[in-house]
């Protein structure tokens, strides 16, 4: 775990991130995966938690799909660099 954490921190510090295209592909894949496996996921949620399929979709699957869809639709806007004003605090 320490090695993984170091690698993640090193990658973050390097400024390298995945492309917007890659991220969109991943979000699209999440949406398709949920759509393609909705019945199976609802069955599992019923077996594990006793959730009716309507409740499972509303609370679990629909939430994931809405979140992924929102991210997909907003990603271009979210990745635009913004200048922000920073405050300077002198060390006393």
């Amino acid at each position: 775990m320490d090695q993984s954490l170091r690698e993640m921190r090193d990658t973050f510090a390097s400024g390298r991130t995945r492309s917007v295209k890659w991220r969109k592909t991943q979000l699209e894949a999440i949406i398709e995966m949920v759509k393609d496996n909705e019945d199976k996921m609802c069955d599992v949620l019923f077996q594990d938690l006793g959730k009716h399929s309507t409740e499972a979709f509303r609370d679990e699957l629909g939430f994931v799909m809405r979140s992924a869809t929102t991210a997909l639709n907003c990603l271009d806007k979210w990745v635009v660099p913004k200048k922000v004003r920073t405050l300077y605090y002198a060390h006393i």
Side-chain angles (χ1 to χ4, degrees), residues 6 8 15 33-34 39-40 49 54 56 59 66-67 70 87:
R6 270 193 300 278
M8 286 188 273
M33 186 255 324
V34 173
D39 291 339
K40 292 176 191 173
L49 304 173
T54 303
D59 297 344
R66 281 189 307 277
S67 296
T70 297
L87 299 175

Side-chain angles (χ1 to χ4, degrees), residues 24-37:
K24 286 181 178 183
T25 300
Q26 296 300 302
L27 290 165
E28 290 166 349
I30 290 169
I31 295 165
E32 285 305 310
M33 186 255 324
V34 173
K35 284 180 184 177
D36 292 347
N37 295 285

Side-chain angles (χ1 to χ4, degrees), residues 13-79:
S14 75
R16 291 178 295 146
T17 59
R18 300 282 186 165
S19 69
V20 173
K21 181 180 177 183
W22 181 88
R23 293 172 191 221
K24 286 181 178 183
T25 300
Q26 296 300 302
L27 290 165
E28 290 166 349
I30 290 169
I31 295 165
E32 285 305 310
M33 186 255 324
V34 173
K35 284 180 184 177
D36 292 347
N37 295 285
E38 181 179 340
D39 291 339
K40 292 176 191 173
M41 291 178 177
C42 285
D43 287 345
V44 169
L45 286 166
F46 179 76
Q47 290 171 13
D48 289 353
L49 304 173
K51 285 194 173 198
H52 184 273
S53 60
T54 303
E55 182 183 16
F57 188 85
R58 181 194 68 209
D59 297 344
E60 313 291 342
L61 308 179
F63 178 78
V64 170
M65 289 178 65
R66 281 189 307 277
S67 296
T69 301
T70 297
L72 185 60
N73 292 335
C74 295
L75 191 58
D76 289 325
K77 194 171 19 176
W78 291 346
V79 298

